[in-house]
Amino acid sequence: MTIENISINKSFGGWHKQYSHHSETLNCNMRFAIFLPPQVSNGEKVPVLYWLSGLTCTDENFMQKAGAHRVAAELGIAIVAPDTSPRGEGVADDEGYDLGQGAGFYVNATQAPWNRHYHMYDYVVHELPKLIESTFPVSDKRSIAGHSMGGHGALTIGMLNPQRYRAMSAFSPISNPVNCPWGQKAFTAYLGKDTDSWRSHDASELMRQATQFIPVKVDQGESDDFLAEQLKPETLEAAAKASGYPLELTLHEGYDHSYYFIAGFIEDHLRFHARHLNG
């Protein structure tokens, strides 16, 4: 698979790079960013944290705003940040910010016109890791994390693939999309009106029914404007109690939905992942 380097920046002794490539899964050109820590210069293969971003974001938001490079360089962890959806001419879109380009929701769409391109689940789980592991000096030790829509993606993908990921974490995840406006709009468009099919992409539903567990850490700001209507962390907490899932959920007074919140606690998440990636 041919990839094209778009940009490169040295950061904390490592390298932040952007690439584009043609995705067979999504039937379009895609962009991703990767941070390679300085340990790769010594010939080491390092583990990878896959970061899934939220609505309207691209590969750039996390890499530029989260302040993750310093700790990732110290811990010897690569970070891969894909875009949040397929994009480009001919790719279906919507006038709303919460559907279409920038809002892939990390599912495989089954409904037209979305099913031609919108297979972000397969892209994140299969195609992108295969590309990363065949191109860069990384191992097959993986973790997954994300924010908001990306938090939804990280939790659902992690629970659906416990054999592929050592740990998962999320900031402000959409915890119960079958019961919130963002999720209902996206799932109706991408998956159709059969709500039973939605439940396999709902973190609370998956956690309630889980029999295989991987470590999970969730942080949520109590001053998040989307807390009550869209995010519903209480449903995730109740699901964990029902199944005995080892959920570490922390609420933070005064914090909102922004990258100010993520920047304040990203070090905790990276150290959490490092313990399980290297353990």
Side-chain angles (χ1 to χ4, degrees):
M1 187 181 297
T2 302
I3 66 173
E4 178 184 357
N5 180 244
I6 299 171
S7 68
I8 180 170
N9 304 94
K10 193 163 188 179
S11 179
F12 291 97
W15 296 95
H16 168 264
K17 302 181 180 184
Q18 283 181 305
Y19 289 91
S20 67
H21 73 104
H22 180 76
S23 168
E24 296 292 337
T25 301
L26 303 178
N27 193 29
C28 66
N29 289 331
M30 286 295 287
R31 191 175 73 186
F32 68 87
I34 184 168
F35 174 74
L36 293 168
Q39 289 82 353
V40 301
S41 299
N42 301 325
E44 293 184 37
K45 284 194 170 185
V46 298
V48 183
L49 173 65
Y50 288 86
W51 174 269
L52 307 183
S53 291
L55 290 166
T56 75
C57 292
T58 69
D59 64 288
E60 295 183 330
N61 298 74
F62 177 81
M63 291 298 196
Q64 293 180 2
K65 296 179 179 180
H69 292 177
R70 177 184 62 81
V71 179
E74 173 196 333
L75 298 172
I77 296 174
I79 303 174
V80 172
D83 202 346
T84 49
S85 78
R87 296 182 193 265
E89 187 177 351
V91 175
D93 201 4
D94 186 83
E95 292 181 357
Y97 73 94
D98 51 358
L99 185 68
Q101 295 188 34
F105 267 83
Y106 306 103
V107 301
N108 289 336
T110 60
Q111 307 299 303
W114 313 102
N115 56 352
R116 183 182 177 197
H117 297 283
Y118 284 75
H119 295 110
M120 287 298 293
Y121 176 91
D122 281 349
Y123 178 72
V124 169
V125 175
H126 300 295
E127 185 178 19
L128 184 60
K130 183 178 179 181
L131 173 61
I132 297 298
E133 290 166 18
S134 65
T135 305
F136 300 100
V138 301
S139 71
D140 61 359
K141 295 180 179 179
R142 312 176 195 95
S143 277
I144 191 163
H147 171 233
S148 193
M149 178 186 71
H152 139 78
L155 296 180
T156 56
I157 286 172
M159 284 187 281
L160 288 168
N161 300 275
Q163 75 285 357
R164 290 185 64 85
Y165 302 99
R166 300 292 182 94
M168 58 186 177
S169 75
F171 289 88
S172 317
I174 304 172
S175 296
N176 191 206
V178 303
N179 288 315
C180 80
W182 279 340
Q184 290 167 349
K185 179 178 180 178
F187 287 1
T188 299
Y190 297 146
L191 304 176
K193 295 181 180 180
D194 179 9
T195 57
D196 286 342
S197 68
W198 299 1
R199 300 186 185 282
S200 60
H201 298 285
D202 184 294
S204 294
E205 295 287 337
L206 291 171
M207 191 165 284
R208 185 179 300 278
Q209 301 167 14
T211 57
Q212 288 182 278
F213 302 153
I214 63 174
V216 55
K217 177 179 177 60
V218 174
D219 284 272
Q220 173 65 59
E222 291 185 326
S223 294
D224 192 318
D225 289 341
F226 305 111
L227 180 60
E229 184 180 27
Q230 303 283 11
L231 305 180
K232 302 182 182 295
E234 68 280 359
T235 63
L236 194 68
E237 187 172 39
K241 289 179 179 178
S243 65
Y245 212 103
L247 169 66
E248 178 186 335
L249 172 63
T250 306
L251 302 178
H252 299 273
E253 182 181 0
Y255 284 91
D256 60 15
H257 199 70
S258 72
Y259 266 84
Y260 294 110
F261 174 43
I262 295 171
F265 297 96
I266 191 62
E267 180 170 349
D268 295 346
H269 281 242
L270 289 171
R271 295 193 184 279
F272 165 80
H273 285 287
R275 290 196 299 274
H276 298 290
L277 286 166
N278 297 321

